[in-house]
Amino acid sequence: MQITEGKINSPLKIVVYGPEGIGKSTFASQLPDPLFIDTEGSTKFLDVKRLDRPTSWAMLMQQVQWVKSNKPCKTLVIDTADWAETLCKQHICASNNVKSIEEFGYGKGYTYLAEEWGRLLNSLTDVVEAGTNVLLTAHAMMRKFEQPDELGAYDRWELKLEKKTAPMTKEWADLLLFANYKTTIITDSKTKSKIATGGQRVMYTTHHPAWDAKNRHGLPEELPFMFKEISTIFTPNEPVSDSPLSTPTDKPPKDMPEATPEAEAEPATTPAPASRVPKDLRDLMVINQIVDPQLETAIGPSNAGGLGYFPAGVKLEELPEDFYRYLVSNFDEFKQHIAQNLNLPFDI
């Protein structure tokens, strides 16, 4: 049994939230060697490394797992958590064949959401333990808050997440920063009218009745909203591995294929018919290098090597809409079956 003393330096789990347009993505881009999983397309004007925008919860989870295994960056950024939560809700609804998370009744839908969100947070913890900082950005919203032992209620800023996933996310973070515009109220000495001035962007690092924030590094309660103000708390990481993502690009690495390649084609006299296969399913197929015949075989009869969902000869373009949603939500099941039975060209 060995006893050790002193501070343990490790990568950080960070959550930064604030109102729309405060500069959360720009702030995240200033962290050490960031790689973005941009769930809402808010980084297109930033010169940063990014993976394809995830079009499903399964795709997002696979991207996180890829970052853990390949370590292509010093900081993984998910921008934003609330859009990621929307993908999670869609996944849960599709898996249970309901249109809304409210349809479960008795709060069961939100329990499923919390369980699935916990899987993401656990995966992100694995990324941190593998040596990479993780930062989640999120929007902020005003909610009515009432202390159980006091009269009255007041408004406060909170994460724009559901009531079960928001506290999970705050507890997960080592560093929770609330960014906002600081406004100063000036009272005219003659007219007694009040004028709002200022608008400086600041971040708060400790708890306040009007917002949640925390840090374990003795930071001042209020700082200008710039990364340099907290840069000293970051532990220097090992050099970035020699990865195709080591320079700013909007292309994914070779072993994480681009989900939506734009192939040049000769002009056709008649336009090609639009595919019925949804983009989120097609993205997962491209990333996992699965082609139509493999998936068609997997959903076909068991005597032909499939899982028995459809008769032989069914085409991917012919599936019912609800089964497309089922495929996306349960994609890992089909991927594993293909890998074990249909010579899929990668290791799962």
Side-chain angles (χ1 to χ4, degrees):
M1 185 73 69
Q2 184 177 1
I3 299 176
T4 60
E5 294 184 10
K7 178 181 176 182
I8 299 176
N9 292 321
S10 66
L12 297 178
K13 297 179 288 186
I14 313 154
V15 174
V16 177
Y17 74 110
E20 182 79 22
I22 191 70
K24 298 180 292 292
S25 301
T26 301
F27 178 88
S29 71
Q30 298 167 353
L31 268 71
D33 186 37
L35 169 63
F36 278 74
I37 298 178
D38 185 353
T39 61
E40 64 172 58
S42 60
T43 67
K44 58 185 178 181
F45 298 114
L46 295 176
D47 185 15
V48 295
K49 299 184 298 186
R50 60 177 68 81
L51 294 173
D52 280 326
R53 179 179 178 179
T55 49
S56 66
W57 181 250
M59 183 175 175
L60 172 62
M61 294 294 285
Q62 286 190 15
Q63 289 176 330
V64 171
Q65 182 62 39
W66 181 87
V67 171
K68 173 195 169 186
S69 301
N70 291 272
K71 302 179 183 178
C73 58
K74 293 180 181 177
T75 305
L76 172 63
V77 180
I78 296 183
D79 187 25
T80 61
D82 32 307
W83 281 64
E85 186 187 57
T86 298
L87 292 177
C88 189
K89 290 178 182 177
Q90 293 170 352
H91 164 78
I92 292 168
C93 292
S95 297
N96 293 275
N97 197 28
V98 298
K99 294 182 179 179
S100 167
I101 201 164
E102 298 284 351
E103 289 187 26
F104 288 95
Y106 302 104
K108 286 184 178 180
Y110 295 101
T111 299
Y112 296 150
L113 176 64
E115 292 172 352
E116 194 66 32
W117 192 254
R119 286 185 56 224
L120 173 63
L121 295 180
N122 288 339
S123 295
L124 294 175
T125 298
D126 291 342
V127 172
V128 171
E129 292 176 351
T132 302
N133 300 303
V134 174
L135 185 147
L136 302 180
T137 68
H139 293 98
M141 64 180 295
M142 296 290 290
R143 276 199 178 113
K144 189 70 69 176
F145 183 78
E146 186 169 356
Q147 293 278 16
D149 57 346
E150 297 180 10
L151 296 176
Y154 57 90
D155 291 332
R156 71 193 308 266
W157 288 102
E158 293 189 2
L159 286 167
K160 193 179 179 182
L161 297 172
E162 296 294 346
K163 290 185 177 180
K164 289 189 176 182
T165 54
M168 293 171 62
T169 306
K170 290 185 290 187
E171 291 169 10
W172 170 86
D174 301 316
L175 180 64
L176 177 65
L177 301 174
F178 171 58
N180 204 358
Y181 299 97
K182 185 175 183 179
T183 303
T184 303
I185 304 298
I186 299 175
T187 302
D188 187 288
S189 59
K190 294 182 179 179
T191 65
K192 304 302 180 183
S193 60
K194 298 183 182 296
I195 303 173
T197 65
Q200 177 189 3
R201 300 181 188 201
V202 298
M203 56 183 168
Y204 300 98
T205 68
T206 58
H207 179 79
H208 185 276
W211 59 75
D212 280 317
K214 68 177 182 179
N215 80 90
R216 300 186 174 108
H217 303 276
L219 295 173
E221 294 184 1
E222 178 185 315
L223 290 166
F225 189 37
M226 295 182 289
F227 171 69
K228 68 178 184 179
E229 300 292 335
I230 62 168
S231 60
T232 56
I233 71 175
F234 283 78
T235 302
N237 297 70
E238 293 297 321
V240 183
S241 61
D242 185 14
S243 162
L245 275 172
S246 58
T247 57
T249 177
D250 60 357
K251 298 293 184 182
K254 291 180 181 178
D255 55 348
M256 178 69 81
E258 186 176 3
T260 55
E262 296 182 0
E264 295 184 3
E266 294 294 327
T269 54
T270 56
S275 172
R276 288 189 67 250
V277 180
K279 185 177 183 300
D280 51 0
L281 175 58
R282 187 63 74 187
D283 286 350
L284 286 171
M285 292 175 65
V286 171
I287 286 175
N288 292 282
Q289 304 176 45
I290 295 175
V291 295
D292 289 23
Q294 290 174 315
L295 193 53
E296 289 166 355
T297 301
I299 65 176
S302 55
N303 60 8
L307 293 168
Y309 287 93
F310 291 93
V314 69
K315 297 297 181 183
L316 203 59
E317 296 277 352
E318 302 169 350
L319 301 179
E321 294 294 332
D322 58 347
F323 195 76
Y324 287 132
R325 295 193 294 270
Y326 181 83
L327 275 171
V328 171
S329 298
N330 298 275
F331 195 81
D332 284 347
E333 172 191 352
F334 295 95
K335 180 181 73 171
Q336 185 164 355
H337 179 81
I338 293 170
Q340 293 175 347
N341 300 279
L342 302 176
N343 300 316
L344 193 66
F346 70 95
D347 295 327
I348 61 171

